[in-house]
């Protein structure tokens, strides 16, 4: 298929490459030196999202936040100006479920389909095409988009109507955010109590506390390797989406709210562009420990 791909960040670049490896023709926007390899691989560079949409059958977006999706879709030279009846937009960003339904309604008015299909699995999952993809939209539209999802991910679930994919992703981010915070507290507790945090992590990995976050993020915390697989800034953005969505439906999520505040503190310390596992640095500072990196 002819696929437009907008959002060539840490996640988007390998996802786009995997689509090309699956035989799809790509049209891309905002090519920078780090994404130039896609052009060399055969992708066509377009000047605007509008031009991407004009050339493609399906437009995929994966950008940082709700306003960014709105801008690439509906802004000046946005994709909507190049879309025509029968085309489809698949948004793989993590954004507001409420805004998602509004975007879908606007596109439906011009005869275009919409799927929200946020992903989990980080840059590793994006590179290895093993992402978890949570999809909202009609059965017919999901069937149309599924071959593309299969080129980028491993666990693909049609959750329900438009917006439900984003709801599932926010539920995912509650688990991720709170578990990152819990692992940070556990390793900090071990260190402050005089035990070897590496040995404690090793023991916990064999029990019920074992998890991918304890394995991967715990190792990052111990080794002080905070190059972003998923930045603190983006994790905090997702936690804010959770808290705002909960407020809209009158739901108390006290631990999600407190984790958002801890991430606000981490960003205030200058850790926004570090991996979200760097949350341990903020907890260490609160405990009066000197930063080791």
């Amino acid at each position: 298929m002819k696929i437009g791909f907008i959002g060539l960040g840490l996640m988007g670049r390998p996802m786009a490459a995997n689509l090309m490896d699956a035989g799809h023709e790509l049209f891309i926007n905002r090519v920078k030196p780090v994404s130039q390899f896609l052009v060399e691989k055969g992708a066509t560079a377009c000047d605007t999202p509008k031009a991407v949409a004009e050339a493609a059958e399906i437009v995929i977006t994966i950008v940082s936040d709700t306003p960014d999706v709105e801008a690439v879709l509906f802004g000046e030279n946005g994709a909507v100006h190049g879309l025509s009846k029968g085309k489809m937009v698949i948004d793989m960003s993590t954004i507001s479920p409420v805004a998602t339904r509004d975007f879908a309604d606007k596109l439906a008015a011009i005869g275009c389909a919409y799927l929200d299909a946020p992903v989990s699995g980080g840059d590793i999952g994006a590179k290895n095409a093993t992402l978890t993809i949570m999809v909202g939209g009609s059965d017919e539209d999901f069937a149309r988009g599924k071959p593309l999802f299969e080129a980028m991910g491993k666990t693909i679930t049609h959750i329900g109507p438009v917006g439900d994919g984003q709801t599932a992703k926010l539920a995912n981010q509650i688990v991720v955010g709170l578990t990152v915070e819990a692992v940070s507290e556990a390793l900090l507790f071990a260190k402050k109590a005089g035990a070897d945090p590496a040995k404690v992590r090793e023991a916990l990995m064999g029990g019920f506390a074992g998890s991918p976050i304890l394995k991967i993020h715990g190792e990052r915390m111990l080794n002080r390797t905070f190059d972003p697989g998923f930045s603190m800034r983006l994790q905090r953005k997702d936690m804010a989406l959770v808290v705002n969505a909960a407020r809209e439906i009158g739901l108390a999520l006290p631990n999600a709210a407190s984790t958002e505040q801890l991430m606000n503190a981490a960003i205030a310390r200058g850790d926004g562009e570090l991996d979200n596992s760097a949350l341990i640095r903020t907890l260490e500072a609160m405990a009066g420990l000197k930063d080791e990196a």
Side-chain angles (χ1 to χ4, degrees):
M1 287 186 278
K2 293 183 177 181
I3 306 301
F5 200 101
I6 300 172
L8 301 175
L10 189 65
M11 298 286 289
R13 292 192 298 273
M15 291 167 67
N18 287 333
L19 285 168
M20 296 185 72
D21 289 342
H24 300 289
E25 183 179 358
L26 249 67
F27 300 87
I28 57 179
N29 178 236
R30 294 190 69 187
V31 178
K32 298 180 180 179
V34 290
S35 50
Q36 181 62 33
F37 77 95
L38 292 168
V39 175
E40 296 167 359
K41 195 177 176 73
T44 300
C46 300
D47 292 337
T48 63
K50 175 185 176 182
V52 169
E54 287 173 338
E57 305 165 53
I58 297 176
V59 176
I60 294 174
T61 56
I62 179 164
V63 293
S64 294
D65 204 349
T66 306
D68 302 304
V69 176
E70 185 171 23
V72 299
L73 289 182
F74 303 107
E76 184 178 1
N77 290 316
V80 70
H81 304 295
L83 292 171
S84 55
K85 187 175 181 180
K87 293 190 176 185
M88 180 161 71
V89 170
I90 301 175
D91 179 38
M92 304 188 79
S93 319
T94 300
I95 66 169
S96 162
V98 174
T100 289
R101 296 184 186 101
D102 179 56
F103 298 161
D105 288 343
K106 289 179 179 178
L107 292 181
I110 60 170
C112 293
Y114 189 101
L115 293 175
D116 55 301
V119 302
S120 180
D123 60 327
I124 296 173
K127 291 172 184 174
N128 295 333
T130 57
L131 291 168
T132 292
I133 305 176
M134 298 153 265
V135 188
S138 72
D139 291 341
E140 180 183 359
D141 294 336
F142 173 71
R144 185 178 173 192
K146 191 174 180 182
L148 304 181
F149 300 143
E150 290 173 339
M152 296 180 284
K154 186 176 181 181
T155 303
I156 301 156
T157 307
H158 183 201
I159 305 297
V162 167
D164 283 3
Q166 295 296 349
T167 296
K169 177 59 187 291
L170 294 187
N172 179 86
Q173 294 305 80
I174 293 171
V175 175
V176 170
L178 270 62
T179 306
V180 168
E181 197 278 337
V183 170
S184 299
E185 285 196 14
L187 296 183
L188 174 60
F189 170 74
K191 182 175 182 178
K192 192 74 172 179
D196 181 346
K199 291 291 186 182
V200 170
R201 172 181 165 274
E202 181 181 340
L204 296 181
M205 282 299 300
F208 205 52
S211 70
I213 290 176
L214 179 62
K215 178 181 178 181
I216 297 171
H217 283 55
E219 184 175 29
R220 288 173 176 169
M221 293 172 190
L222 293 171
N223 294 338
R224 318 301 287 184
T225 51
F226 298 126
D227 294 337
F230 185 67
S231 74
M232 185 79 68
R233 175 179 58 83
L234 291 177
Q235 177 74 68
R236 188 281 304 269
K237 178 266 297 184
D238 290 352
M239 298 308 295
L241 286 171
V242 167
V243 171
N244 291 337
R247 183 181 301 113
E248 289 174 0
I249 60 176
L251 177 65
L253 296 177
N255 291 325
S258 64
T259 299
E260 181 203 5
Q261 290 302 315
L262 285 171
M263 291 180 175
N264 284 338
I267 291 170
R269 294 184 70 247
D271 289 351
E273 298 308 318
L274 298 181
D275 188 78
N276 56 359
S277 59
L279 185 63
I280 194 170
R281 286 163 42 101
T282 296
L283 292 168
E284 288 168 344
M286 292 169 64
L289 299 180
K290 292 183 178 180
D291 188 10
E292 298 178 3

